[in-house]
Amino acid sequence: MTEPTPLRHSPDGFACPAWCVQPEGAPRGGMVVLPEIFGVNAHIRAITTRFAARGYAAVAPDTFARVQPGVDLGYGQGDVATGRKLKAAVERLPEALVLGDIQAAIDEAAALSGGKVGLVGFCWGGLLAWRAACELQGLAAVACYYGGGMTGDAEVARRPRCPMIAHFGAHDAHIPQKEVQAFARAHPEVQVQVYDAAHGFNCDQRDSYDEAAALVARERTLALFARCVG
């Protein structure tokens, strides 16, 4: 069953809503899916559902909930502008708040699955995934897709606590390749993969979708989770 569910375990008591999907049969593990700047929209819900179809108890927290709950945007210019404003509003909050909501999602995925938990994030969610890998508890593996900002100096200084893979597009106008290569050198423990693609290449609802790159990245991500989560 798929339904929005309040997560009631954020450290400050905030009940962050999430899109939760249980697999048929016993879960092989848990999975947290962190959205782009477009909220828990149709694309993120589809990814969450696909993880459930592969046997994971999947949870997609509403990372905008503290500033505007229920965001569900498309990919037009107006949607991009709205998403950027909402992201900026969340980033102005103390980092511990949104990370606390993500920790609540990790805890929920662990409770639903009774097993280990993986986490994947896209765009802004990729940045949050990186921060989660470095700062939060209970993660067995993390995958970041074109995490905007995670190659900056302040983020590179962090250290992940679990196995990771990070996917980038060689033609990403928002993440310079120079920064990607510097990140890879600073973090040899992270599997850094670069594709002949642009930003957002995994999203089949965006003009930048690249099927070949998305499929290769998906197989690499699933291999990491199969090895580390279950």
Side-chain angles (χ1 to χ4, degrees):
M1 182 175 66
T2 304
E3 59 181 13
T5 303
L7 307 177
R8 302 188 183 278
H9 304 290
S10 294
D12 66 342
F14 179 70
C16 180
W19 190 264
C20 302
V21 191
Q22 280 279 43
E24 294 184 7
R28 63 191 292 182
M31 192 63 56
V32 175
V33 181
L34 301 183
E36 306 164 296
I37 61 170
F38 308 104
V40 184
N41 62 5
H43 173 57
I44 295 301
R45 295 195 300 272
I47 289 174
T48 307
T49 301
R50 286 200 293 268
F51 273 114
R54 292 181 177 274
Y56 296 101
V59 178
D62 182 355
T63 47
F64 281 148
R66 288 182 182 267
V67 297
Q68 184 176 319
V71 173
D72 184 348
L73 300 173
Y75 296 93
Q77 290 184 350
D79 299 303
V80 171
T82 297
R84 286 176 174 169
K85 289 179 181 178
L86 290 168
K87 173 193 171 184
V90 174
E91 292 285 328
R92 285 194 294 270
L93 299 174
E95 182 180 275
L97 295 181
V98 69
L99 286 181
D101 298 338
I102 296 169
Q103 184 68 63
I106 295 168
D107 296 344
E108 182 78 7
L112 290 173
S113 68
K116 297 178 181 178
V117 176
L119 183 147
V120 59
F122 303 87
C123 188
W124 179 48
L127 169 61
L128 294 177
W130 167 249
R131 292 173 178 171
C134 298
E135 308 298 337
L136 301 183
Q137 304 293 325
L139 288 172
V142 167
C144 300
Y145 280 75
Y146 31 85
M150 67 179 284
T151 57
D153 291 344
E155 297 298 333
V156 172
R158 301 181 195 254
R159 293 290 164 183
R161 299 176 174 180
C162 63
M164 284 195 63
I165 189 168
H167 307 288
F168 296 97
H171 312 297
D172 192 324
H174 307 288
I175 307 175
Q177 273 299 296
K178 182 179 179 180
E179 291 188 4
V180 172
Q181 297 307 318
F183 178 91
R185 290 191 298 271
H187 290 285
E189 75 280 12
V190 177
Q191 298 179 54
V192 175
Q193 303 287 349
V194 179
Y195 304 84
D196 185 19
H199 190 81
F201 67 80
N202 183 72
C203 180
D204 57 8
Q205 298 180 22
R206 302 178 72 161
D207 292 339
S208 56
Y209 175 61
D210 188 298
E211 182 178 20
L215 290 175
V216 174
R218 181 187 304 173
E219 291 308 309
R220 289 170 171 166
T221 295
L222 290 174
L224 173 68
F225 290 147
R227 184 172 70 251
C228 298
V229 179

